[in-house]
Amino acid sequence: MSELIGPTLSNLFIPNNFIFMNIGVFLGIVFGAIPGINATLAITVMLPFTFMLDVLPALFTLTGVFFGANFGGSISAILINTPGTNNAAATLLDGYPLARKGYPGKALDMALAASTFGGLVSAFSLLFFSPQVTKVALRFGPPEFFALAIFGLSIIASISGGNILKGLISGGLGILLATVGVDGVSGIPRFTFGSLSLYNGVKMVAVLLGVFAISQMINRIRDREEGGASRLGRTSSDDHLTMKEFKSTIPTMVKSSCLGAIIGAIPGPGAAIASFIAYNEAKRCAKPGERFGEGELKGIAAPESANNGATASTLIPLLTLGIPGDAVAATLLGAFTMHGLVVGPKLFITSGPVIYAMMIGCVIAQFFLFLQGKYLLRVIVKVTSVPPDLLTALLVVVCCAGAFAVANMTLDVYVMLIFGCIAYFMQKLDLPSVPIVLGMVLGPIAEENLRNSLAMSGGEWSIFVTRPICLAIICFTFVLIFMLKKGDAGRARAEREIFARADVKPPSDD
Amino acid sequence: MNIKYRSNLVSGAISAIAGVIVWILVPLHIKPDYDLDAIITSRTLPYSIAALFVVMGLGLLARSLVFKQDKVKILVLFEELKVVAYMATMLIYALFFKYSFIGSTTFLGFSSLAFSGCRKPLYYVIVFACVVPLYFLFTRVMYVRLP
């Protein structure tokens, strides 16, 4: 471990890293503040621009976008009562009423402080827990990895929007897509339709751009949005967060950040659930005189520290086990792959200095997030008033260039456009699109390790239940499915109650 | 004009049909393995997915027709025609992409603005002004061989 300190620090303390980290955070806040553009879309659009960068600046840009977008979502929630991202939906319940009372600055200060706090807790949990999980994961063999892939695929149960059959269809489509190309075990081409370009398979980045970016652009073309520009007008001199107010929210932030970090580390639930649970918890523990729903500071602190608490910690299962817990992690997985990093337990051995530098960078990024939020907020709010028509056209243009840049192949542009259209029609049928990505990532892992496991055991299926870790993962998968389904029902109920009380239309899950 | 459809019914039918198509395509596009004793071959996973599509599709059909669990959705034809026309624009874009990135991408950017109902000439200028530097950024800085 000590031998890693030198290379890690020399990898980290390069000016380029901090420049790109700041660019990522800035763009993330801007994208996050624009309603309809979430962290996944922002990272997907930015992904092609990172191809030319070295590994660390590229990862810092993308993780910066991720952290920034989570805070950015709260800006439009507070200023125009429309959450920029789903994760910020709970923030508007107290953020907007406080802004209406004439304290938008105070509300934004609180959101920023809580976001930074949550982000720090999350980044430290990534830094300290990832190596521990890796130590266990290094003992895994093919049966355990097969069980892990199935565990990862079980997340589909939680992200299927109440209809698991549809989630499985989408997941199946993703797995089927991943089979295109030469089979890694037998060397036999599958579904290449005679095209040499398809021998290397369908590029995940092209599919990501189609599913998350192009389909959204098509939606924006159909439902023409009027300019939802945020405004941060002149306010009174006491419109800022005082130290006393900040101190009063520290217990709420500590509790919510820890809650967020734990929920973030579990594949499946995601930051939006963390923020609702934290809001409910803060409300349940409210002292007399604290009026949630009317501009209570703790009502902003709880969801913001929870949703940022769930950011870096989502990288724990990704980096250590190779399991992306949500769409953002799956997109980041694309970035890791593009830069030659193979996620999983061996990542810490093969690329230790880079990964440790990235994790320390996640901590540093929180300070840049705070500084940018504090001093550039007015500029950011101005940038977010780009007219939606223009933004859509510009994003389409960027995506097209980005898809080609993946491998200098026109086929990737076609794949992106085709999957944009497919994802649009899937939305019409309530078929969720995130399972496609999960299927694409985890399908090949499951197939390869299943074949290797059976080769190891001479065709005996009992290998999966005779190895204790494998059996434990299988049992945990069933427990997780049960808990996620139970948690989903609870969250939906809480969300309905909260929004009904606040008389606000809940955001869609798209 | 509006078209009403049942979400589970339509997606169930599409899934079942897709499953059958994949099942038929597997032997046509994946050769048999050289190792005849292998329990899991190159065809196993695609066959499993085809079966999954069929089973899930039948499940959705049963939900809709037998258990009457379905959501009626409305398709506003005018809006969807706009989307289909935009997709056709994408097709034209795809056909011309290999000849000129600047030309085809400007066309798609302008089409996106036109489909959004944008009438401000300045926005069209901005889109063109972005495509050109983007081309140079990708070709000169990132060494991407854009057409």
Side-chain angles (χ1 to χ4, degrees):
Chain A
M1 177 71 197
S2 56
E3 72 276 5
L4 285 173
I5 294 172
T8 300
L9 295 180
S10 64
N11 266 324
L12 178 64
F13 289 102
I14 295 170
N16 251 6
N17 289 344
F18 299 108
I19 293 169
F20 284 103
M21 195 184 282
N22 271 296
I23 292 172
V25 168
F26 180 80
L27 291 174
I29 301 176
V30 169
F31 277 129
I34 300 171
I37 297 191
N38 54 23
T40 315
L41 176 60
I43 293 171
T44 314
V45 170
M46 287 301 298
L47 194 53
F49 288 100
T50 63
F51 294 165
M52 64 165 181
L53 302 176
D54 288 335
V55 182
L56 273 176
L59 293 178
F60 284 143
T61 309
L62 297 173
T63 48
V65 170
F66 181 26
F67 302 139
N70 253 310
F71 164 65
S74 67
I75 296 176
S76 48
I78 289 167
L79 296 181
I80 57 171
N81 203 26
T82 307
T85 60
N86 279 351
N87 302 350
T91 308
L92 67 80
L93 299 169
D94 279 280
Y96 185 64
L98 189 59
R100 294 251 339 219
K101 283 179 183 171
Y103 298 103
K106 193 190 286 274
L108 287 168
D109 279 352
M110 186 71 255
L112 179 63
S115 295
T116 310
F117 197 93
L120 280 172
V121 170
S122 194
F124 276 115
S125 60
L126 172 70
L127 187 60
F128 292 119
F129 291 117
S130 295
Q132 315 310 324
V133 179
T134 303
K135 277 179 197 162
V136 179
L138 276 171
R139 291 185 209 150
F140 289 5
E144 284 78 20
F145 277 110
F146 170 70
L148 262 182
I150 298 299
F151 168 73
L153 286 169
S154 70
I155 301 163
I156 290 172
S158 155
I159 53 176
S160 302
N163 195 333
I164 194 165
L165 298 182
K166 289 185 175 177
L168 287 171
I169 291 171
S170 299
L173 178 63
I175 298 173
L176 192 66
L177 269 176
T179 63
V180 176
V182 177
D183 175 17
V185 178
S186 66
I188 292 171
R190 297 194 282 195
F191 299 119
T192 53
F193 296 92
S195 163
L196 280 178
S197 310
L198 282 173
Y199 270 57
N200 285 331
V202 176
K203 303 281 184 312
M204 198 167 103
V205 177
V207 176
L208 286 172
L209 281 165
V211 168
F212 294 126
I214 296 296
S215 67
Q216 276 224 41
M217 297 308 126
I218 297 173
N219 268 321
R220 290 169 82 102
I221 295 271
R222 193 201 55 195
D223 310 320
R224 193 174 170 233
E225 290 171 42
E226 296 304 325
S230 319
R231 294 276 180 270
L232 187 58
R234 290 183 186 282
T235 50
S236 55
S237 57
D238 63 338
D239 181 21
H240 56 84
L241 189 71
T242 63
M243 190 47 85
K244 192 181 164 199
E245 287 168 332
F246 175 73
K247 280 181 183 166
S248 71
T249 57
I250 287 176
T252 308
M253 287 196 286
V254 171
K255 196 175 178 183
S256 306
S257 305
C258 294
L259 203 65
I262 294 167
I263 293 172
I266 301 169
I273 294 181
S275 64
F276 276 106
I277 293 176
Y279 184 87
N280 253 354
E281 187 55 25
K283 199 172 170 197
R284 193 182 63 79
C285 303
K287 292 176 189 156
E290 290 176 352
R291 301 167 77 96
F292 277 77
E294 294 175 25
E296 171 59 45
L297 281 174
K298 286 180 184 172
I300 303 170
E304 276 306 301
S305 43
N307 69 35
N308 282 274
T311 49
S313 65
T314 47
L315 299 180
I316 297 176
L318 177 71
L319 297 182
T320 58
L321 306 171
I323 305 280
D326 58 12
V328 173
T331 316
L332 285 172
L333 173 65
F336 279 97
T337 313
M338 290 301 302
H339 289 280
L341 297 174
V342 181
V343 292
K346 286 182 185 155
L347 181 67
F348 285 77
I349 298 170
T350 55
S351 314
V354 172
I355 291 307
Y356 279 105
M358 193 211 83
M359 293 194 296
I360 297 170
C362 287
V363 176
I364 297 171
Q366 308 305 325
F367 293 104
F368 288 131
L369 172 74
F370 182 79
L371 292 174
Q372 289 200 21
K374 189 81 191 150
Y375 298 107
L376 296 179
L377 197 63
R378 278 179 196 278
V379 181
I380 289 165
V381 169
K382 223 168 209 163
V383 177
T384 60
S385 18
V386 175
D389 300 348
L390 184 60
L391 188 74
T392 305
L394 292 176
L395 287 178
V396 167
V397 166
V398 170
C399 290
C400 293
F404 185 85
V406 176
N408 282 321
M409 278 165 67
T410 313
L411 177 78
D412 294 325
V413 179
Y414 299 159
V415 168
M416 178 193 73
L417 295 176
I418 290 168
F419 276 91
C421 298
I422 290 177
Y424 174 80
F425 288 118
M426 284 175 67
Q427 284 169 17
K428 293 275 153 204
L429 295 170
D430 297 328
L431 286 160
S433 44
V434 180
I436 298 179
V437 182
L438 279 178
M440 267 193 97
V441 174
L442 297 171
I445 299 175
E447 187 189 21
E448 190 188 330
N449 286 293
L450 173 63
R451 289 162 90 168
N452 290 340
S453 304
L454 290 175
M456 266 170 68
S457 68
E460 284 297 322
W461 289 84
S462 58
I463 191 170
F464 298 109
V465 287
T466 48
R467 292 168 68 112
I469 298 178
C470 189
L471 185 63
I473 297 170
I474 292 169
C475 294
F476 189 60
T477 304
F478 285 110
V479 173
L480 183 78
I481 292 173
F482 175 73
M483 280 168 61
L484 287 176
K485 291 315 288 174
K486 209 175 157 193
D488 270 1
R491 176 189 70 129
R493 205 171 40 245
E495 224 176 281
R496 271 198 307 274
E497 279 173 18
I498 287 170
F499 281 108
R501 229 177 291 136
D503 199 21
V504 176
K505 191 175 172 273
S508 72
D509 282 339
D510 288 339
Chain B
M1 198 176 114
N2 296 344
I3 297 173
K4 282 186 183 174
Y5 65 98
R6 284 189 280 170
S7 162
N8 283 350
L9 185 71
V10 177
S11 44
I14 291 173
S15 174
I17 294 167
V20 173
I21 293 171
V22 173
W23 191 276
I24 295 167
L25 283 177
V26 170
L28 297 176
H29 287 277
I30 305 173
K31 287 179 189 159
D33 273 28
Y34 307 113
D35 178 7
L36 296 173
D37 297 331
I39 300 167
I40 310 275
T41 68
S42 309
R43 289 178 174 180
T44 310
L45 186 67
Y47 270 134
S48 313
I49 299 300
L52 177 92
F53 282 164
V54 173
V55 172
M56 295 302 130
L58 293 177
L60 285 171
L61 289 173
R63 267 194 182 181
S64 174
L65 300 172
V66 182
F67 301 105
K68 305 288 174 201
Q69 292 173 352
D70 214 338
K71 208 193 276 180
V72 177
K73 303 194 83 178
I74 298 168
L75 215 62
V76 182
L77 205 60
F78 173 71
E79 284 176 1
E80 299 310 322
L81 280 177
K82 194 168 136 188
V83 167
V84 172
Y86 184 64
M87 287 176 181
T89 312
M90 285 180 169
L91 182 69
I92 296 169
Y93 164 76
L95 291 174
F96 285 97
F97 183 82
K98 58 186 166 194
Y99 300 112
S100 161
F101 171 79
I102 295 183
S104 58
T105 307
T106 306
F107 164 73
L108 187 64
F110 283 4
S111 306
S112 304
L113 283 174
F115 276 101
S116 309
C118 170
R119 289 181 187 160
K120 292 183 181 167
L122 177 68
Y123 292 179
Y124 290 85
V125 175
I126 293 173
V127 167
F128 182 69
C130 283
V131 171
V132 178
L134 197 70
Y135 175 79
F136 286 108
L137 174 74
F138 274 86
T139 51
R140 302 290 156 87
V141 182
M142 295 167 70
Y143 304 108
V144 175
R145 295 190 303 274
L146 283 173

